[in-house]
Amino acid sequence: SGQGRLCPAEDILDAVDQGLGPVDSKLKGRRVLITCGPTREWIDPVLFISNPSSGKMGFALAQEAMARGAEVTIVRGPTDLRPPWGAQVVPVETTREMLDAVLAAYDGCDVLIGAAAPVDFTPAAPAQQKIKKFGGSASLELVGTPDILTSVSSLKGSRIHVGFAAESENLEANAQAKLAAKALDLICANDITAPGSGFGADTNEIAMYSRDGLTRHVDMTGKREVAIEILDEVETLLSTEAVSPQG
Ligand code: C5P
């Protein structure tokens, strides 16, 4: 803003990238809701439980969906990464807040992609004041947080739901079990022990499974290229499941 002031070069690049996307995408005019990044569960006012998720995969999906003409809402946990220009961004901190933000944006969406790594448990009684240093040991009681994809599964209707499964063993069996448990249309499984597919990496290698089994394997490549393959698969699902835009 301000006379003669140019917006940041990264935003201009994002806008150009979005302007150069395909004109005939099935995602054109669709509303895509993407969860990204980690969440934080507070133990006391200074300590929290979290994980090193960067949000890079979700942001790459958002940028690619916008290049295909989709309207994108990103619900993102704490990350220093700059979200792509043009997306509606809803910042949240805890898993409960992420679920509430997803529920608030869910009505109008056609596609939900759960690319976040929400923390699965939270302290049962977070301390109101900073916990003082102590000798010896102590234990922390934890309670489960809601699973976002499972929580909206009964509201799904004709929407397409996509999830991720980060696994260290039995990739296919574990991914298929999550696909069924969370009532997903597509799950993107990756082996977190493989070099280059861990948290925060710029690359990923995934196998995608639908209810019919393996649909596509994407060899190690950049997250934007992985996003292209995932959204190609979403477009196939949109044409086979004949989703009508949500009103
Ligand atoms: O069961 P697991 O956490 O491995 O499943 C991963 C998938 O579930 C991801 O798509 C992730 O975004 C989603 N998830 C969720 N709510 C949680 C935990 C995971 O939606 N509390």
Side-chain angles (χ1 to χ4, degrees), residues 212-233:
D212 300 329
L214 180 72
T215 56
R216 167 186 311 227
H217 186 272
V218 185
D219 288 334
M220 184 72 64
T221 184
K223 285 191 169 164
R224 179 64 184 268
E225 286 68 34
V226 175
I228 290 173
E229 302 268 356
I230 293 171
L231 292 182
D232 281 352
E233 210 55 54

Side-chain angles (χ1 to χ4, degrees), residues 65-177:
M66 285 188 288
R68 296 181 187 212
E71 279 176 43
V72 173
T73 301
I74 296 172
V75 176
R76 66 139 182 84
T79 157
D80 291 337
L81 224 62
R82 191 188 62 91
W85 177 83
Q88 195 190 333
V89 180
V90 185
V92 295
E93 209 168 53
T94 65
T95 298
R96 179 75 236 180
E97 286 170 13
M98 188 171 270
L99 171 60
D100 290 343
V102 165
L103 287 171
Y106 189 73
D107 257 4
C109 90
D110 302 297
V111 178
L112 169 65
I113 306 180
V119 178
D120 289 322
F121 32 77
T122 191
Q128 297 305 307
Q129 306 300 332
K130 182 181 169 188
I131 300 170
K132 298 272 185 299
K133 213 177 273 186
F134 51 82
S137 63
S139 55
L140 180 66
E141 193 187 343
L142 299 171
V143 291
T145 52
D147 188 283
I148 296 160
L149 291 174
T150 307
S151 302
V152 293
S153 61
S154 61
L155 312 170
K156 184 175 175 294
S158 57
R159 293 175 186 81
I160 302 292
H161 281 190
V162 181
F164 282 78
E167 305 294 342
S168 55
E169 57 177 356
N170 302 330
L171 196 65
E172 174 157 9
N174 288 335
Q176 298 268 27

